[in-house]
Amino acid sequence: MQGTAGKDVIVTVLVAAVLIWALPLMVGTYTLTVLAIYAMLGLSLGLIWGFGGILCFGQAAFFGLGAYTYAIAAINTGESTLPMILAVIVPCVFAALLGAMMFYGRLGDVYLGVITLVVTLILFKFISSTAGPQYTIGTARLGGYNGIPGFPTLNVPGRPDLFIWGDALYYLCAVALLLVYLGVTWFLRSSFGRIAVGIRENETRMSLIGYDVRARKTVLFAIGAAIAGLAGALFANWGAIVTPGLFSLSQSAEIIIWCIVGGLGTRFGPLLGAAGLGYLKFLLGQQSMINNTMLMGLILVLFVLFLPRGVVPAAISVWRASIGRPRRAGRAGALRRNRRRGRTDG
Amino acid sequence: MAEPVLETQHLTMRFGGVVAVDNVTFTLRRGELRCLIGPNGAGKSTFFKCLTGLLTPSEGHVLMQGEETTGWPPHRVAALGVGIKTQVPNVMDGLSVQENIWLAARRFVPSAQAAAKTREVIDRLALGPIARTELGRLAHGERQQVELGFVAASDPWLVLLDEPAAGMTAGEVARMTEVIHELNRTAAVVIVEHDMQFIRSIASTVTVFHQGAILIEDDVETVMSDPHVRNIYLGKKA
């Protein structure tokens, strides 16, 4: 088991190193940076939804909180190290409180979706209405619809004069994504991760085995928010401005579409979905013939109808059916009661 | 006489105006194996759910090893060392048999020991040939056995089984009986069951539920020959 894990890490690092080196030869690093950030954001939802069964309609809330926390803290401290740490901690704590309220309140999946969506919209409305000069935190003005521009972007820790931007920011974001991916892989191999998957499969049974489902879902939800917060902080650095649009409904919906298209229950699926659709959005942004949002909606409808498990699980199934090992059938014949919900090892 | 490991005192469960469990006082002693029987709607499963924490009783108390567990959530009840099997197989369909049982074992032992415990339970229940098969692909009887595997993996001192033999083949029931007897060496067992043949093969003492209350509690042969029990079970005068 440990040997396999070590091999997986080496393969992942090698493949990532090749991609990090090769992709800038084809696509600009400015675009690749935001794609890496989107991939991290997709992975954050992919973790809690695909492996924990928590469908959060408000992952954008944690993304936006991370971005705003970074911007506000950077203006107040004049450097980026502490703001980066706060950008992970603040969404994590916020999600822990929100999650505890929802999971200990025994809310069903539908209500959980509604509450996370509403929280995102509340944040959007609130931040949008902070244009007045009275809305300041320390020396940072929240700026309402105009957002917060002009905050110090990433610098080398301890060297506020040495900024990380351009190609360096791309490499930083790509390495951060790789580290998050490896962290998620480690987490899913750990007891906590395996138990989270068990909870996704059957909460009642896991509770009857003796696991406190509420506490574990709260922790998983907070971990997903921490990753989204990190992505938000990197996004703030990429754009050098944060606006209420980060909390928007369309941003929340996009993250869900990334996960569905890429494939739930896989680590690589949401990452691929986010980067792939993010790049498509970038390409479509260069023309005005096709409406971007409409195309996203169409892609979602097509995937739900024809490839509901997403790209990565479908590709794995095709591979297994052609050259891979077929799954073993049950002793008494394959009585397939419930289709598995797209879980594979991708 | 052995000390009680499970007691209920005046346990009552109401759903609106319907009294599903009516003032039930029940005692199970260490090492005992007790079957709860009764016709449909007698209140057995509701009583069972009050024990496991799946329902919070309207009135009365549940005590396990003398500790008040009334209204505890299921995970707290299970964490005491209570093995629970529900009426409908309640398993993780997308995971393999091995992974399912590992999850149960891991709750009570560290990760390294959980793997060994999982292998032991798989061998004990003869689940080796299907160890890597997803639960969603298995037949009903196999799923029931895996659920019993959850119970076995937790090394319980109290086992609560709701209709463990339902939908199983004769061979599977025989193996199930063996495993239950094995569990009973170290744990007190409560079984809610309909299958009279299975009850005769496994239990010495039976508690009969009728209209939410305990009608009679005695050894299996006495209960089976009781005219009142025959009447409510077969729906005719004895």
Side-chain angles (χ1 to χ4, degrees), chain A residues 179-238:
Chain A
L179 292 175
V180 168
Y181 184 84
L182 290 174
V184 167
T185 304
W186 170 82
F187 173 78
L188 291 172
R189 281 177 188 269
S190 71
S191 291
F192 196 102
R194 292 169 76 179
I195 291 162
V197 173
I199 291 171
R200 175 195 72 185
E201 291 291 321
N202 192 331
E203 273 185 37
T204 307
R205 171 36 75 189
M206 291 299 281
S207 181
L208 288 169
I209 285 174
Y211 292 107
D212 188 348
V213 170
R214 305 163 303 180
R216 286 174 183 272
K217 284 178 90 167
T218 302
V219 172
L220 184 65
F221 192 60
I223 292 172
I227 298 172
L230 175 63
L234 292 172
F235 186 84
N237 279 285
W238 172 79

Short mmCIF file of all heavy atoms in Angstrom, two decimals, chain A residues 179-238:
data_model
loop_
_atom_site.label_atom_id
_atom_site.label_comp_id
_atom_site.label_asym_id
_atom_site.label_seq_id
_atom_site.Cartn_x
_atom_site.Cartn_y
_atom_site.Cartn_z
N LEU A 179 0.85 20.61 -5.00
CA LEU A 179 0.91 20.29 -3.57
C LEU A 179 -0.49 20.01 -3.01
O LEU A 179 -0.68 19.08 -2.22
CB LEU A 179 1.58 21.43 -2.79
CG LEU A 179 3.08 21.61 -3.08
CD1 LEU A 179 3.62 22.83 -2.34
CD2 LEU A 179 3.87 20.37 -2.69
N VAL A 180 -1.46 20.81 -3.45
CA VAL A 180 -2.83 20.58 -2.99
C VAL A 180 -3.32 19.22 -3.49
O VAL A 180 -3.95 18.46 -2.76
CB VAL A 180 -3.77 21.72 -3.48
CG1 VAL A 180 -5.24 21.36 -3.26
CG2 VAL A 180 -3.45 23.02 -2.74
N TYR A 181 -3.00 18.92 -4.75
CA TYR A 181 -3.41 17.63 -5.33
C TYR A 181 -2.80 16.47 -4.54
O TYR A 181 -3.49 15.50 -4.20
CB TYR A 181 -2.95 17.58 -6.80
CG TYR A 181 -3.41 16.33 -7.53
CD1 TYR A 181 -4.67 16.26 -8.11
CD2 TYR A 181 -2.56 15.23 -7.64
CE1 TYR A 181 -5.08 15.12 -8.78
CE2 TYR A 181 -2.97 14.09 -8.30
CZ TYR A 181 -4.23 14.03 -8.88
OH TYR A 181 -4.64 12.91 -9.53
N LEU A 182 -1.51 16.60 -4.24
CA LEU A 182 -0.85 15.53 -3.46
C LEU A 182 -1.43 15.47 -2.05
O LEU A 182 -1.61 14.38 -1.49
CB LEU A 182 0.67 15.78 -3.39
CG LEU A 182 1.42 15.59 -4.71
CD1 LEU A 182 2.88 16.01 -4.55
CD2 LEU A 182 1.35 14.16 -5.21
N GLY A 183 -1.75 16.64 -1.50
CA GLY A 183 -2.37 16.68 -0.17
C GLY A 183 -3.73 15.99 -0.17
O GLY A 183 -4.04 15.23 0.75
N VAL A 184 -4.51 16.26 -1.20
CA VAL A 184 -5.83 15.61 -1.31
C VAL A 184 -5.66 14.09 -1.49
O VAL A 184 -6.39 13.30 -0.88
CB VAL A 184 -6.63 16.23 -2.50
CG1 VAL A 184 -7.85 15.39 -2.84
CG2 VAL A 184 -7.05 17.65 -2.16
N THR A 185 -4.66 13.71 -2.27
CA THR A 185 -4.39 12.27 -2.47
C THR A 185 -4.04 11.61 -1.13
O THR A 185 -4.58 10.55 -0.80
CB THR A 185 -3.21 12.09 -3.46
OG1 THR A 185 -3.54 12.77 -4.66
CG2 THR A 185 -2.95 10.62 -3.75
N TRP A 186 -3.15 12.27 -0.39
CA TRP A 186 -2.76 11.73 0.91
C TRP A 186 -3.97 11.64 1.83
O TRP A 186 -4.18 10.64 2.51
CB TRP A 186 -1.68 12.62 1.53
CG TRP A 186 -1.41 12.26 2.95
CD1 TRP A 186 -0.61 11.27 3.42
CD2 TRP A 186 -2.00 12.88 4.11
NE1 TRP A 186 -0.66 11.22 4.79
CE2 TRP A 186 -1.50 12.19 5.24
CE3 TRP A 186 -2.89 13.93 4.29
CZ2 TRP A 186 -1.88 12.54 6.54
CZ3 TRP A 186 -3.26 14.27 5.57
CH2 TRP A 186 -2.75 13.57 6.68
N PHE A 187 -4.77 12.71 1.81
CA PHE A 187 -5.95 12.77 2.68
C PHE A 187 -6.91 11.62 2.36
O PHE A 187 -7.44 10.97 3.27
CB PHE A 187 -6.64 14.13 2.47
CG PHE A 187 -7.95 14.24 3.19
CD1 PHE A 187 -7.99 14.48 4.54
CD2 PHE A 187 -9.15 14.11 2.50
CE1 PHE A 187 -9.22 14.59 5.21
CE2 PHE A 187 -10.37 14.21 3.15
CZ PHE A 187 -10.39 14.44 4.51
N LEU A 188 -7.12 11.38 1.07
CA LEU A 188 -8.07 10.33 0.69
C LEU A 188 -7.55 8.93 1.00
O LEU A 188 -8.33 8.00 1.14
CB LEU A 188 -8.43 10.45 -0.80
CG LEU A 188 -9.26 11.69 -1.14
CD1 LEU A 188 -9.40 11.84 -2.64
CD2 LEU A 188 -10.63 11.63 -0.48
N ARG A 189 -6.24 8.80 1.11
CA ARG A 189 -5.67 7.50 1.49
C ARG A 189 -5.68 7.32 3.00
O ARG A 189 -5.53 6.21 3.50
CB ARG A 189 -4.23 7.39 0.99
CG ARG A 189 -4.12 7.06 -0.48
CD ARG A 189 -2.65 7.05 -0.88
NE ARG A 189 -2.51 6.90 -2.30
CZ ARG A 189 -2.40 5.75 -2.93
NH1 ARG A 189 -2.42 4.63 -2.25
NH2 ARG A 189 -2.27 5.70 -4.24
N SER A 190 -5.79 8.43 3.72
CA SER A 190 -5.77 8.34 5.19
C SER A 190 -7.09 7.75 5.69
O SER A 190 -8.08 7.67 4.95
CB SER A 190 -5.58 9.74 5.78
OG SER A 190 -6.77 10.49 5.60
N SER A 191 -7.09 7.37 6.97
CA SER A 191 -8.31 6.83 7.56
C SER A 191 -9.45 7.83 7.44
O SER A 191 -10.57 7.47 7.09
CB SER A 191 -8.08 6.51 9.04
OG SER A 191 -7.21 5.43 9.15
N PHE A 192 -9.14 9.11 7.71
CA PHE A 192 -10.19 10.13 7.67
C PHE A 192 -10.82 10.20 6.28
O PHE A 192 -12.05 10.29 6.13
CB PHE A 192 -9.61 11.50 8.06
CG PHE A 192 -10.67 12.51 8.41
CD1 PHE A 192 -10.94 12.83 9.72
CD2 PHE A 192 -11.41 13.14 7.41
CE1 PHE A 192 -11.93 13.75 10.05
CE2 PHE A 192 -12.40 14.06 7.73
CZ PHE A 192 -12.66 14.37 9.05
N GLY A 193 -9.97 10.15 5.25
CA GLY A 193 -10.47 10.22 3.88
C GLY A 193 -11.32 9.01 3.52
O GLY A 193 -12.38 9.14 2.90
N ARG A 194 -10.87 7.83 3.94
CA ARG A 194 -11.62 6.61 3.63
C ARG A 194 -12.96 6.62 4.37
O ARG A 194 -13.98 6.16 3.86
CB ARG A 194 -10.80 5.38 4.01
CG ARG A 194 -9.57 5.21 3.10
CD ARG A 194 -8.63 4.17 3.61
NE ARG A 194 -9.11 2.82 3.37
CZ ARG A 194 -8.43 1.72 3.72
NH1 ARG A 194 -7.26 1.84 4.30
NH2 ARG A 194 -8.92 0.53 3.48
N ILE A 195 -12.94 7.16 5.58
CA ILE A 195 -14.20 7.26 6.34
C ILE A 195 -15.13 8.28 5.68
O ILE A 195 -16.34 8.06 5.60
CB ILE A 195 -13.88 7.62 7.81
CG1 ILE A 195 -13.18 6.44 8.48
CG2 ILE A 195 -15.15 7.98 8.58
CD1 ILE A 195 -12.44 6.78 9.76
N ALA A 196 -14.55 9.36 5.15
CA ALA A 196 -15.37 10.37 4.45
C ALA A 196 -16.07 9.73 3.25
O ALA A 196 -17.25 10.01 3.00
CB ALA A 196 -14.49 11.53 3.99
N VAL A 197 -15.37 8.86 2.54
CA VAL A 197 -15.98 8.18 1.40
C VAL A 197 -17.11 7.25 1.90
O VAL A 197 -18.17 7.16 1.27
CB VAL A 197 -14.92 7.40 0.59
CG1 VAL A 197 -15.57 6.54 -0.48
CG2 VAL A 197 -13.93 8.37 -0.04
N GLY A 198 -16.87 6.60 3.02
CA GLY A 198 -17.91 5.76 3.61
C GLY A 198 -19.16 6.59 3.95
O GLY A 198 -20.28 6.16 3.71
N ILE A 199 -18.94 7.79 4.46
CA ILE A 199 -20.07 8.68 4.80
C ILE A 199 -20.80 9.09 3.52
O ILE A 199 -22.03 9.14 3.50
CB ILE A 199 -19.56 9.91 5.58
CG1 ILE A 199 -19.09 9.47 6.97
CG2 ILE A 199 -20.63 10.98 5.69
CD1 ILE A 199 -18.37 10.53 7.77
N ARG A 200 -20.05 9.35 2.46
CA ARG A 200 -20.69 9.67 1.18
C ARG A 200 -21.62 8.53 0.76
O ARG A 200 -22.73 8.74 0.27
CB ARG A 200 -19.63 9.89 0.10
CG ARG A 200 -20.20 10.09 -1.29
CD ARG A 200 -19.14 9.93 -2.36
NE ARG A 200 -18.75 8.54 -2.52
CZ ARG A 200 -17.78 8.11 -3.32
NH1 ARG A 200 -17.09 8.97 -4.00
NH2 ARG A 200 -17.49 6.84 -3.41
N GLU A 201 -21.14 7.31 0.95
CA GLU A 201 -21.91 6.15 0.50
C GLU A 201 -23.14 5.89 1.35
O GLU A 201 -24.19 5.51 0.82
CB GLU A 201 -21.01 4.91 0.52
CG GLU A 201 -19.91 4.93 -0.53
CD GLU A 201 -20.45 4.80 -1.93
OE1 GLU A 201 -21.40 4.02 -2.14
OE2 GLU A 201 -19.93 5.50 -2.83
N ASN A 202 -23.02 6.01 2.67
CA ASN A 202 -24.16 5.69 3.53
C ASN A 202 -23.95 6.30 4.93
O ASN A 202 -23.29 5.72 5.78
CB ASN A 202 -24.32 4.17 3.65
CG ASN A 202 -25.64 3.78 4.27
OD1 ASN A 202 -26.20 4.51 5.07
ND2 ASN A 202 -26.14 2.61 3.90
N GLU A 203 -24.56 7.46 5.10
CA GLU A 203 -24.39 8.18 6.38
C GLU A 203 -24.95 7.40 7.55
O GLU A 203 -24.34 7.32 8.62
CB GLU A 203 -25.14 9.52 6.31
CG GLU A 203 -24.33 10.63 5.73
CD GLU A 203 -25.06 11.96 5.80
OE1 GLU A 203 -25.75 12.21 6.78
OE2 GLU A 203 -24.91 12.73 4.84
N THR A 204 -26.14 6.81 7.34
CA THR A 204 -26.79 6.11 8.45
C THR A 204 -25.93 4.95 8.91
O THR A 204 -25.73 4.74 10.11
CB THR A 204 -28.18 5.60 8.01
OG1 THR A 204 -28.89 6.70 7.48
CG2 THR A 204 -28.95 5.00 9.16
N ARG A 205 -25.42 4.19 7.98
CA ARG A 205 -24.60 3.04 8.34
C ARG A 205 -23.34 3.46 9.08
O ARG A 205 -22.96 2.87 10.08
CB ARG A 205 -24.26 2.23 7.07
CG ARG A 205 -23.26 1.13 7.21
CD ARG A 205 -23.31 0.38 8.52
NE ARG A 205 -24.39 -0.55 8.67
CZ ARG A 205 -24.68 -1.17 9.83
NH1 ARG A 205 -23.99 -0.92 10.92
NH2 ARG A 205 -25.68 -2.02 9.90
N MET A 206 -22.72 4.53 8.58
CA MET A 206 -21.49 5.00 9.23
C MET A 206 -21.79 5.45 10.66
O MET A 206 -20.99 5.25 11.56
CB MET A 206 -20.85 6.13 8.43
CG MET A 206 -20.29 5.68 7.09
SD MET A 206 -18.99 4.44 7.24
CE MET A 206 -17.61 5.47 7.66
N SER A 207 -22.95 6.03 10.83
CA SER A 207 -23.36 6.44 12.17
C SER A 207 -23.60 5.21 13.04
O SER A 207 -23.21 5.19 14.22
CB SER A 207 -24.64 7.27 12.02
OG SER A 207 -25.07 7.71 13.25
N LEU A 208 -24.21 4.17 12.46
CA LEU A 208 -24.48 2.95 13.23
C LEU A 208 -23.20 2.16 13.52
O LEU A 208 -23.17 1.31 14.40
CB LEU A 208 -25.47 2.06 12.46
CG LEU A 208 -26.91 2.57 12.40
CD1 LEU A 208 -27.74 1.77 11.41
CD2 LEU A 208 -27.55 2.52 13.79
N ILE A 209 -22.16 2.43 12.76
CA ILE A 209 -20.86 1.81 13.05
C ILE A 209 -20.20 2.53 14.22
O ILE A 209 -19.37 1.97 14.93
CB ILE A 209 -19.95 1.85 11.78
CG1 ILE A 209 -20.41 0.82 10.76
CG2 ILE A 209 -18.50 1.61 12.14
CD1 ILE A 209 -19.66 0.90 9.44
N GLY A 210 -20.57 3.81 14.40
CA GLY A 210 -20.02 4.55 15.54
C GLY A 210 -19.28 5.82 15.17
O GLY A 210 -18.63 6.43 16.01
N TYR A 211 -19.38 6.25 13.90
CA TYR A 211 -18.70 7.48 13.50
C TYR A 211 -19.63 8.68 13.70
O TYR A 211 -20.82 8.60 13.33
CB TYR A 211 -18.28 7.41 12.03
CG TYR A 211 -17.19 6.41 11.77
CD1 TYR A 211 -17.46 5.21 11.12
CD2 TYR A 211 -15.89 6.65 12.18
CE1 TYR A 211 -16.47 4.27 10.87
CE2 TYR A 211 -14.89 5.73 11.95
CZ TYR A 211 -15.18 4.55 11.29
OH TYR A 211 -14.19 3.63 11.05
N ASP A 212 -19.07 9.77 14.19
CA ASP A 212 -19.85 11.00 14.32
C ASP A 212 -19.83 11.69 12.95
O ASP A 212 -18.91 12.45 12.63
CB ASP A 212 -19.26 11.90 15.40
CG ASP A 212 -20.15 13.10 15.69
OD1 ASP A 212 -21.08 13.34 14.90
OD2 ASP A 212 -19.92 13.77 16.70
N VAL A 213 -20.85 11.40 12.17
CA VAL A 213 -20.92 11.90 10.80
C VAL A 213 -20.91 13.42 10.75
O VAL A 213 -20.26 14.03 9.90
CB VAL A 213 -22.20 11.33 10.12
CG1 VAL A 213 -22.47 11.99 8.79
CG2 VAL A 213 -22.08 9.82 9.95
N ARG A 214 -21.60 14.04 11.71
CA ARG A 214 -21.73 15.50 11.70
C ARG A 214 -20.35 16.17 11.83
O ARG A 214 -20.01 17.08 11.09
CB ARG A 214 -22.62 15.95 12.86
CG ARG A 214 -23.98 15.28 12.87
CD ARG A 214 -24.64 15.41 14.22
NE ARG A 214 -23.83 14.87 15.31
CZ ARG A 214 -24.17 14.86 16.58
NH1 ARG A 214 -25.32 15.38 16.95
NH2 ARG A 214 -23.38 14.35 17.50
N ALA A 215 -19.56 15.67 12.78
CA ALA A 215 -18.24 16.27 13.02
C ALA A 215 -17.34 16.06 11.81
O ALA A 215 -16.63 16.99 11.38
CB ALA A 215 -17.62 15.64 14.26
N ARG A 216 -17.38 14.87 11.25
CA ARG A 216 -16.48 14.57 10.13
C ARG A 216 -16.86 15.37 8.88
O ARG A 216 -16.00 15.84 8.14
CB ARG A 216 -16.48 13.07 9.84
CG ARG A 216 -15.70 12.32 10.90
CD ARG A 216 -15.77 10.83 10.79
NE ARG A 216 -15.05 10.23 11.89
CZ ARG A 216 -13.74 9.96 11.89
NH1 ARG A 216 -13.02 10.24 10.84
NH2 ARG A 216 -13.16 9.42 12.94
N LYS A 217 -18.16 15.55 8.66
CA LYS A 217 -18.58 16.35 7.50
C LYS A 217 -18.19 17.81 7.70
O LYS A 217 -17.79 18.49 6.75
CB LYS A 217 -20.10 16.23 7.29
CG LYS A 217 -20.48 14.90 6.65
CD LYS A 217 -21.96 14.76 6.48
CE LYS A 217 -22.42 15.29 5.16
NZ LYS A 217 -23.81 14.89 4.85
N THR A 218 -18.28 18.27 8.92
CA THR A 218 -17.90 19.66 9.21
C THR A 218 -16.41 19.87 8.90
O THR A 218 -16.02 20.85 8.27
CB THR A 218 -18.18 20.02 10.69
OG1 THR A 218 -19.58 19.79 10.93
CG2 THR A 218 -17.84 21.45 11.00
N VAL A 219 -15.59 18.92 9.34
CA VAL A 219 -14.14 19.04 9.10
C VAL A 219 -13.84 19.00 7.60
O VAL A 219 -13.07 19.81 7.08
CB VAL A 219 -13.38 17.90 9.84
CG1 VAL A 219 -11.91 17.89 9.44
CG2 VAL A 219 -13.50 18.09 11.35
N LEU A 220 -14.49 18.08 6.90
CA LEU A 220 -14.25 17.97 5.45
C LEU A 220 -14.68 19.25 4.73
O LEU A 220 -13.98 19.75 3.84
CB LEU A 220 -15.03 16.76 4.90
CG LEU A 220 -14.79 16.45 3.42
CD1 LEU A 220 -13.35 16.02 3.18
CD2 LEU A 220 -15.73 15.36 2.93
N PHE A 221 -15.82 19.78 5.12
CA PHE A 221 -16.34 21.02 4.54
C PHE A 221 -15.34 22.15 4.74
O PHE A 221 -15.07 22.94 3.83
CB PHE A 221 -17.67 21.32 5.23
CG PHE A 221 -18.49 22.40 4.58
CD1 PHE A 221 -18.92 22.26 3.26
CD2 PHE A 221 -18.86 23.54 5.27
CE1 PHE A 221 -19.70 23.24 2.67
CE2 PHE A 221 -19.63 24.53 4.68
CZ PHE A 221 -20.06 24.37 3.38
N ALA A 222 -14.75 22.21 5.94
CA ALA A 222 -13.79 23.27 6.25
C ALA A 222 -12.50 23.09 5.44
O ALA A 222 -11.90 24.08 5.00
CB ALA A 222 -13.48 23.26 7.75
N ILE A 223 -12.09 21.84 5.24
CA ILE A 223 -10.88 21.60 4.43
C ILE A 223 -11.11 22.08 2.99
O ILE A 223 -10.25 22.75 2.39
CB ILE A 223 -10.49 20.10 4.46
CG1 ILE A 223 -10.02 19.71 5.86
CG2 ILE A 223 -9.40 19.79 3.42
CD1 ILE A 223 -9.79 18.22 6.05
N GLY A 224 -12.29 21.76 2.45
CA GLY A 224 -12.62 22.21 1.09
C GLY A 224 -12.60 23.73 1.01
O GLY A 224 -12.11 24.31 0.03
N ALA A 225 -13.12 24.38 2.05
CA ALA A 225 -13.16 25.85 2.07
C ALA A 225 -11.75 26.43 2.15
O ALA A 225 -11.46 27.46 1.54
CB ALA A 225 -13.99 26.33 3.25
N ALA A 226 -10.87 25.76 2.90
CA ALA A 226 -9.48 26.24 3.01
C ALA A 226 -8.80 26.21 1.64
O ALA A 226 -8.09 27.16 1.27
CB ALA A 226 -8.72 25.37 4.01
N ILE A 227 -9.05 25.14 0.90
CA ILE A 227 -8.44 25.03 -0.45
C ILE A 227 -9.03 26.13 -1.36
O ILE A 227 -8.30 26.78 -2.10
CB ILE A 227 -8.68 23.63 -1.04
CG1 ILE A 227 -8.00 22.57 -0.18
CG2 ILE A 227 -8.16 23.55 -2.48
CD1 ILE A 227 -8.33 21.13 -0.56
N ALA A 228 -10.35 26.31 -1.27
CA ALA A 228 -10.99 27.36 -2.08
C ALA A 228 -10.46 28.74 -1.69
O ALA A 228 -10.25 29.61 -2.55
CB ALA A 228 -12.51 27.32 -1.91
N GLY A 229 -10.20 28.94 -0.40
CA GLY A 229 -9.66 30.21 0.07
C GLY A 229 -8.27 30.46 -0.49
O GLY A 229 -7.95 31.58 -0.91
N LEU A 230 -7.45 29.40 -0.51
CA LEU A 230 -6.10 29.53 -1.09
C LEU A 230 -6.21 29.91 -2.57
O LEU A 230 -5.49 30.80 -3.05
CB LEU A 230 -5.34 28.20 -0.93
CG LEU A 230 -3.97 28.12 -1.59
CD1 LEU A 230 -3.01 29.13 -0.96
CD2 LEU A 230 -3.38 26.71 -1.47
N ALA A 231 -7.14 29.23 -3.27
CA ALA A 231 -7.34 29.56 -4.69
C ALA A 231 -7.78 31.01 -4.83
O ALA A 231 -7.31 31.72 -5.74
CB ALA A 231 -8.39 28.62 -5.30
N GLY A 232 -8.65 31.47 -3.92
CA GLY A 232 -9.12 32.86 -3.97
C GLY A 232 -7.98 33.85 -3.79
O GLY A 232 -7.90 34.86 -4.49
N ALA A 233 -7.09 33.55 -2.85
CA ALA A 233 -5.95 34.45 -2.60
C ALA A 233 -5.04 34.52 -3.82
O ALA A 233 -4.57 35.60 -4.21
CB ALA A 233 -5.18 33.97 -1.38
N LEU A 234 -4.80 33.37 -4.44
CA LEU A 234 -3.96 33.35 -5.64
C LEU A 234 -4.65 34.11 -6.78
O LEU A 234 -4.00 34.81 -7.57
CB LEU A 234 -3.66 31.90 -6.06
CG LEU A 234 -2.76 31.13 -5.08
CD1 LEU A 234 -2.67 29.66 -5.46
CD2 LEU A 234 -1.35 31.74 -5.04
N PHE A 235 -5.99 33.96 -6.84
CA PHE A 235 -6.75 34.66 -7.87
C PHE A 235 -6.64 36.17 -7.67
O PHE A 235 -6.48 36.92 -8.65
CB PHE A 235 -8.22 34.22 -7.83
CG PHE A 235 -9.05 34.76 -8.95
CD1 PHE A 235 -9.07 34.13 -10.18
CD2 PHE A 235 -9.79 35.93 -8.79
CE1 PHE A 235 -9.84 34.63 -11.23
CE2 PHE A 235 -10.55 36.43 -9.83
CZ PHE A 235 -10.58 35.79 -11.06
N ALA A 236 -6.71 36.61 -6.43
CA ALA A 236 -6.57 38.04 -6.13
C ALA A 236 -5.22 38.55 -6.63
O ALA A 236 -5.12 39.64 -7.19
CB ALA A 236 -6.71 38.27 -4.63
N ASN A 237 -4.19 37.73 -6.44
CA ASN A 237 -2.85 38.11 -6.90
C ASN A 237 -2.74 38.12 -8.41
O ASN A 237 -2.05 38.95 -8.99
CB ASN A 237 -1.82 37.14 -6.32
CG ASN A 237 -1.47 37.51 -4.91
OD1 ASN A 237 -0.75 38.47 -4.69
ND2 ASN A 237 -2.02 36.79 -3.96
N TRP A 238 -3.43 37.18 -9.03
CA TRP A 238 -3.41 37.11 -10.50
C TRP A 238 -4.10 38.34 -11.10
O TRP A 238 -3.59 38.96 -12.03
CB TRP A 238 -4.10 35.82 -10.96
CG TRP A 238 -4.29 35.73 -12.43
CD1 TRP A 238 -3.37 35.38 -13.37
CD2 TRP A 238 -5.51 36.00 -13.16
NE1 TRP A 238 -3.91 35.40 -14.62
CE2 TRP A 238 -5.23 35.78 -14.52
CE3 TRP A 238 -6.79 36.39 -12.79
CZ2 TRP A 238 -6.19 35.93 -15.52
CZ3 TRP A 238 -7.75 36.54 -13.77
CH2 TRP A 238 -7.46 36.32 -15.12
#
